[in-house]
């Protein structure tokens, strides 16, 4: 029998306990050994929960229990789980985690600490989709040219409901929290950080890049409003929060931000809490992965797959797929040099000469306007909704700065990149 201690018996931890019980026969058959969750750690012992394991509020009860073979970390956070996981590995216990925030900051030192001890994290990226397995094992013969994914279920759920049902931002955020999709602090979701954590994990496996969230472009969906949604609909775009890794010669762009994508693209069809990831390998071409990216059971499915893997072999492949940071020679690209198309929302005075000023400032930076719509806003003010032809990121940023400095816009402009 393999004994499991679960640190954090919340949304995911409870599902892990329930599925280990409900699917015991098939799990035992696949693992070749019975897997039993013996105890769990929670913060609040008086909270009612639907699990039958012994609960404690002291992590050491699990870490010091020599009969426990595998520690499953499902408490969330960064530094506290880091200490817990480190201790578990130092005691020779295998570890499984779903915690992407932990790995965004500590994946390389944890890989060193783990050494030959199994450390698995399939659920940390795209919940129930086996994307770590695909990238680390299935595609390991390839140079990875790009990874493009919808990796935050909460944002995708919110954007889908805003587009399809016209629901307001605040109402829909509350709903996704109630459904168990959102992080304990939902700013991780809507601010793009959760997707960035996942992108960094995938970029380590694909490129051996040792970047932190602070090193890459991260923008969330907080400023998206009904005008942006109306523009997307009018011009046949879908609005998604994308996490993108793209190589170009000796550089790799890593970025997370809202994107307008033509409705003809496959990834635009991924709606609701579903996640979808496209990976292009130099030999295999494009591969697509689709499935539930959040929620207790879907995430627990990936956690238990890792436990079964450990039960079968006793050790994992090197945690990030190679023993040392991969010497791919790729360095992080400066996003200011990126060239793409842009959508802009500018709140301006409704009077003569304003449009000319906007066109002049954009024109001076070689930014060519492709489409333009004017929408009524507050009294005396209108929203100009523009899309541009391809131009450089730095030119757009400078143009927006100049529009503000020249007093042409009445509020902070909104800029959304278009991926075509
Ligand atoms: P929850 O907030 O539902 O559960 C966290 C659990 O950890 C709770 O049982 C909580 O106790 C316990 N806990 C937190 N801090 C402490 C502490 N200091 N001491 C003891 N116990 C503590 O989170 P989720 O289950 O949603 O998420 C768990 C992990 O899985 C996170 O890293 C998350 O990012 C990741 N994840 C979540 C997904 C999802 O869809 N929910 C999907 C993919 C990954 P108590 O119940 O008493 O508060
Ligand atoms: N909060 C995350 C999401 C959970 O919404 O995708 C899965 O990592």
């Amino acid at each position: 029998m393999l004994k499991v201690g679960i640190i954090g018996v919340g949304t995911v931890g409870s599902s892990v306990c329930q599925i280990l019980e409900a699917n015991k026969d098939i799990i035992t058959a696949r693992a070749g050994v019975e897997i039993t969750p013996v105890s769990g750690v929670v913060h609040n012992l008086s909270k009612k929960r639907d699990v039958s394991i012994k609960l404690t509020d002291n992590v050491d009860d699990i870490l010091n229990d020599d009969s426990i073979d595998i520690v499953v970390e499902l408490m969330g956070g960064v530094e506290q789980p880091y200490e817990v996981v480190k201790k578990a590995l130092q005691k020779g216990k295998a570890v499984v985690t779903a915690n992407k925030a932990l790995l965004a900051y500590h994946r390389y030192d944890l890989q060193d600490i783990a050494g030959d001890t199994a450390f698995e994290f399939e659920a940390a990226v795209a919940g129930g989709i086996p994307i770590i397995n695909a990238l680390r094992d299935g595609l390991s013969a390839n140079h990875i040219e790009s990874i493009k994914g919808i990796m935050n279920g909460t944002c995708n759920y919110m954007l889908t409901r805003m587009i399809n049902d016209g629901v307001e931002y605040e109402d829909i955020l509350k709903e996704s929290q109630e459904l168990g999709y959102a992080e304990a602090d939902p700013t991780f979701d809507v601010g793009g950080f959760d997707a960035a954590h996942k992108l960094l994990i995938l970029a380590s496996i694909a490129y051996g890049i040792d970047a932190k969230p602070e090193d890459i472009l991260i923008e969330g969906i907080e400023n998206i409003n009904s005008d942006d949604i109306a523009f997307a609909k009018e011009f046949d775009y879908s609005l998604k929060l994308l996490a993108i890794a793209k190589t170009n010669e000796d550089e790799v762009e890593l970025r997370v931000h809202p994107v307008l994508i033509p409705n003809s693209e496959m990834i635009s069809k991924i709606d609701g809490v579903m996640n979808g990831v496209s990976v292009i390998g130099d030999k295999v071409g494009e591969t697509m992965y689709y499935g539930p990216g959040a929620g207790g059971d879907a995430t627990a499915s990936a956690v238990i797959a890792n436990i079964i893997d450990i039960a079968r072999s006793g050790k994992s492949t090197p945690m990030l797929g190679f023993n040392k940071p991969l010497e791919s020679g790729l360095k992080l690209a400066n996003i200011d040099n990126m060239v793409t198309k842009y959508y802009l929302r500018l709140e301006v005075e409704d009077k003569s000469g304003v449009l000319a000023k906007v066109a002049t400032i954009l024109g001076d930076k070689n930014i060519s306007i492709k489409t333009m719509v004017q929408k009524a806003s507050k009294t005396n003010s209108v929203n100009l909704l523009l899309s541009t032809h391809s131009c450089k990121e730095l030119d757009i940023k400078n143009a927006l700065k100049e529009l503000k400095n020249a007093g042409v816009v009445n509020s902070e402009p909104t800029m959304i990149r278009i991926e075509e």
Side-chain angles (χ1 to χ4, degrees):
M1 185 198 291
L2 205 66
K3 290 189 174 174
V4 177
I6 303 180
I7 300 183
V9 190
T11 305
V12 183
S14 300
S15 283
V16 168
C17 295
Q18 288 153 10
I19 296 172
L20 282 172
E21 182 59 39
N23 287 3
K24 191 174 185 161
D25 292 350
I26 191 80
I27 290 171
T28 307
R30 289 195 171 128
V33 60
E34 195 176 310
I35 295 169
T36 310
V38 287
S39 51
V41 181
V42 295
H43 192 56
N44 177 2
L45 277 171
S46 55
K47 206 189 272 181
K48 230 177 129 349
R49 15 191 135 229
D50 198 9
V51 295
S52 51
I53 58 170
K54 188 175 74 194
L55 295 178
T56 167
D57 57 5
N58 184 355
V59 177
D60 288 333
D61 289 346
I62 285 185
L63 296 178
N64 294 333
D65 182 341
D66 291 337
S67 74
I68 289 180
D69 307 288
I70 302 182
V71 168
V72 178
E73 184 280 301
L74 296 170
M75 68 196 294
V78 177
E79 294 313 322
Q80 202 179 2
Y82 176 65
E83 292 307 321
V84 167
V85 163
K86 194 161 84 173
K87 273 192 205 152
L89 290 169
Q90 284 163 343
K91 282 178 174 282
K93 294 183 191 303
V95 170
V96 175
T97 184
N99 187 338
K100 51 269 163 159
L102 166 70
L103 296 174
Y105 286 95
H106 290 299
R107 59 201 180 282
Y108 287 101
D109 38 335
L110 284 173
Q111 169 161 262
D112 283 347
I113 295 165
D116 282 339
T117 305
F119 186 141
E120 293 292 349
F121 53 98
E122 182 60 70
V125 182
I129 306 176
I131 186 68
I132 302 290
N133 203 297
L135 201 55
R136 196 174 59 180
D137 301 326
L139 301 178
S140 55
N142 290 261
H143 288 286
I144 303 301
E145 293 176 356
S146 70
I147 301 169
K148 205 185 270 187
I150 293 172
M151 299 191 205
N152 185 270
T154 302
C155 286
N156 207 44
Y157 182 75
M158 290 175 67
L159 290 172
T160 305
R161 293 272 279 128
M162 285 166 82
I163 292 174
N164 291 355
D165 309 318
V167 186
E168 291 300 329
Y169 181 90
E170 271 74 25
D171 298 334
I172 198 65
L173 174 58
K174 197 158 165 277
E175 191 178 303
S176 35
Q177 283 175 293
E178 283 161 7
L179 288 165
Y181 304 150
E183 297 300 307
D185 175 357
T187 50
F188 273 94
D189 296 297
V190 294
F193 302 103
D194 177 77
H197 294 161
K198 293 165 179 168
L199 180 69
L200 289 169
I201 296 169
L202 296 187
S204 285
I205 297 170
Y207 310 112
I209 288 270
D210 186 5
K212 299 265 186 292
E214 306 66 66
D215 303 328
I216 68 169
L217 170 71
I218 305 175
E219 288 172 10
I221 63 166
E222 305 97 322
N223 296 325
I224 288 173
N225 76 9
S226 52
D227 281 344
D228 310 327
I229 302 277
F231 182 92
K233 281 184 163 174
E234 188 168 341
F235 291 94
D236 209 20
Y237 288 116
S238 185
L239 188 47
K240 299 289 181 194
L241 182 82
L242 279 195
I244 300 171
K246 214 188 252 181
T247 56
N248 182 11
E249 295 177 1
D250 60 344
E251 293 190 326
V252 57
E253 279 171 18
L254 295 183
R255 49 193 169 95
V256 173
H257 49 77
V259 167
L260 288 165
I261 331 171
N263 275 327
S264 52
E265 299 250 337
M266 209 159 28
I267 207 155
S268 75
K269 315 268 184 264
I270 293 165
D271 280 341
V273 72
M274 291 309 209
N275 281 194
V277 187
S278 146
V279 181
I280 300 182
D282 63 342
K283 299 302 170 200
V284 69
E286 181 167 16
T287 58
M288 268 303 273
Y289 308 85
Y290 169 81
D297 282 1
T299 309
S301 156
V303 169
I304 295 172
N306 281 162
I307 299 176
I308 294 173
D309 249 11
I310 293 170
R312 282 171 173 160
S313 68
K315 75 181 279 299
S316 68
T317 43
M319 183 187 147
L320 297 167
F322 44 84
N323 281 318
K324 296 246 181 295
L326 188 66
E327 284 171 14
S328 61
L330 290 171
K331 56 180 194 298
L332 262 189
N334 180 348
I335 297 298
D336 281 349
N337 297 328
M338 178 173 91
V339 174
T340 189
K341 298 172 183 171
Y342 295 84
Y343 155 86
L344 305 175
R345 168 168 36 94
L346 310 174
E347 191 195 340
V348 297
E349 291 294 302
D350 191 8
K351 64 178 189 196
S352 60
V354 168
L355 196 53
K357 277 190 198 159
V358 170
T360 304
I361 290 175
L362 294 179
D364 285 349
K365 301 271 177 292
N366 287 322
I367 299 165
S368 156
I369 297 170
K370 186 177 174 196
T371 57
M372 204 196 73
V373 180
Q374 182 168 309
K375 296 255 183 210
S377 173
K378 298 178 210 144
T379 336
N380 286 338
S381 156
V382 290
N383 273 335
L384 290 183
L385 314 178
L386 312 170
S387 76
T388 72
H389 290 284
S390 289
C391 57
K392 208 170 149 188
E393 175 97 359
L394 185 63
D395 291 336
I396 278 281
K397 281 186 187 162
N398 285 337
L400 293 181
K401 221 182 277 171
E402 215 167 306
L403 285 166
K404 282 195 279 180
N405 291 344
V408 179
V409 288
N410 291 348
S411 60
E412 191 62 34
T414 290
M415 175 261 270
I416 302 177
R417 297 163 189 86
I418 302 174
E419 286 270 323
E420 286 183 329

